[in-house]
Amino acid sequence: MTQQVSAAQTQSADSSNPKALYGGKSSRRLTVRDIGLAKERGEKWPMLTAYDAMTASVFDEAGIPVMLVGDSAGNCHLGYETTVPVTLDQLTMLSAAVVRGTSRALIVGDLPFGSYQEGPTQALRSAMRMVKEAGVGAVKLEGGERSHAQIKLLVEAGIPVMAHIGLTPQSVNTQGYRVQGRGEEAAQQLLRDAKAVQDAGAFAVVLELVPAELAAEVTRVLHIPTVGIGAGPDTDAQVLVWTDALGLTGGKMPRFVKQYADLRSVMSDAAKAFAEDVVGGTFPLEEHSVH
């Protein structure tokens, strides 16, 4: 379903503030310092995934301040059922493309399953590849307390880290796809995870599929920004997988997804129109021919 958006709605509430993440102006790439300052200002900001240069360039021109080259590429671009099979080689290549397609956005590259679980040294090697070969400004990895040592070493080495707790898709084989943090014990564990990644030096943390009230509490407790996906309205930022948000993904969407366009129908209609022109002999015409 295509949403009608007024001109006023496209303007950031902070559009008059050149320091704003969305709607602001910058002749350089945004950095994790800019993200931290936004938290101090109480500014909310959007994040979208991106996996190729062309799509990323559109989002960059639209003013999206942070893009995640997520291992969700496995589901929505590479044809995998889960994110688990995605490799570091694949995400390094995709991240490099997104960096090349952008000039302002902070690009965060995901560390895929198997690229950091062995420990801090493996995590550092993987993150260095993403920074040196792809040119990302930060990396993301899953896990709270269990990933404290990995995050700490990366930050000490000068690599900014976005953490990811709550539902962690790389743990689908043990977690499944269900809300995390329900019940007193689970909620306390999620709070411990949030404090652990902050203590390790993460500059932000993704909260996925977490009860809204708990996500709000985590956001109040932490001094680093929280990025929600299925975590209610009170996090500092919101992220969606772009193929979900723009209606390219087929099938039933999770409850937390809002579709802002119906690209699947647009692309299907265009493909059918092209095919019918070819079959009917109305493409190419004289103006489409070279002499």
Side-chain angles (χ1 to χ4, degrees), residues 18-253:
K19 296 182 179 180
L21 294 186
Y22 174 68
K25 297 179 181 179
S26 175
S27 58
R28 58 170 177 79
R29 278 203 186 270
L30 296 173
T31 68
V32 297
R33 183 174 183 275
D34 296 304
I35 304 303
L37 291 173
K39 171 89 170 183
E40 294 179 13
R41 293 192 300 267
E43 177 191 347
K44 289 182 176 287
W45 46 274
M47 180 166 79
L48 283 173
T49 64
Y51 315 104
D52 65 89
M54 188 172 294
T55 305
S57 70
V58 174
F59 297 160
D60 204 42
E61 291 170 5
I64 299 299
V66 185
M67 292 181 220
L68 170 66
V69 188
D71 57 7
S72 49
N75 307 86
C76 57
H77 281 280
L78 302 178
Y80 299 134
E81 290 186 4
T82 72
T83 66
V84 173
V86 178
T87 68
L88 183 60
D89 285 343
Q90 289 169 331
L91 282 185
T92 301
M93 178 191 69
L94 297 177
S95 297
V98 170
V99 170
R100 289 193 295 268
T102 57
S103 60
R104 180 177 184 265
L106 169 66
I107 309 302
V108 182
D110 234 346
L111 295 186
F113 180 72
S115 69
Y116 61 92
Q117 280 83 358
E118 289 180 16
T121 301
Q122 185 200 28
L124 182 58
R125 284 198 302 268
S126 300
M128 280 185 172
R129 279 198 63 190
M130 294 290 280
V131 172
K132 290 171 70 68
E133 297 178 29
V136 300
V139 299
K140 182 177 78 65
L141 57 79
E142 296 182 0
E145 289 182 323
R146 62 183 168 87
S147 295
H148 182 279
Q150 284 94 324
I151 296 171
K152 188 172 187 294
L153 181 60
L154 266 57
V155 173
E156 288 175 348
I159 301 175
V161 178
M162 177 179 284
H164 184 156
I165 62 175
L167 173 66
T168 48
Q170 292 175 13
S171 302
V172 61
N173 291 324
T174 56
Q175 251 186 5
Y177 290 107
R178 58 187 179 84
V179 176
Q180 302 295 308
R182 279 184 174 156
E184 182 61 26
E185 183 177 347
Q188 289 304 313
Q189 180 60 57
L190 191 127
L191 281 166
R192 287 194 296 271
D193 285 336
K195 292 175 181 177
V197 299
Q198 176 176 267
D199 175 71
F203 74 90
V205 57
V206 173
L207 306 177
E208 181 167 358
L209 216 58
V210 172
E213 297 82 1
L214 178 57
E217 181 179 357
V218 172
T219 302
R220 287 193 299 271
V221 168
L222 298 188
H223 62 73
I224 61 173
T226 57
V227 183
I229 178 166
D234 294 319
T235 54
D236 297 299
Q238 297 289 334
V239 61
L240 284 176
V241 172
W242 87 259
T243 52
D244 294 346
L246 274 66
L248 187 59
T249 307
K252 185 178 180 181
M253 289 292 97

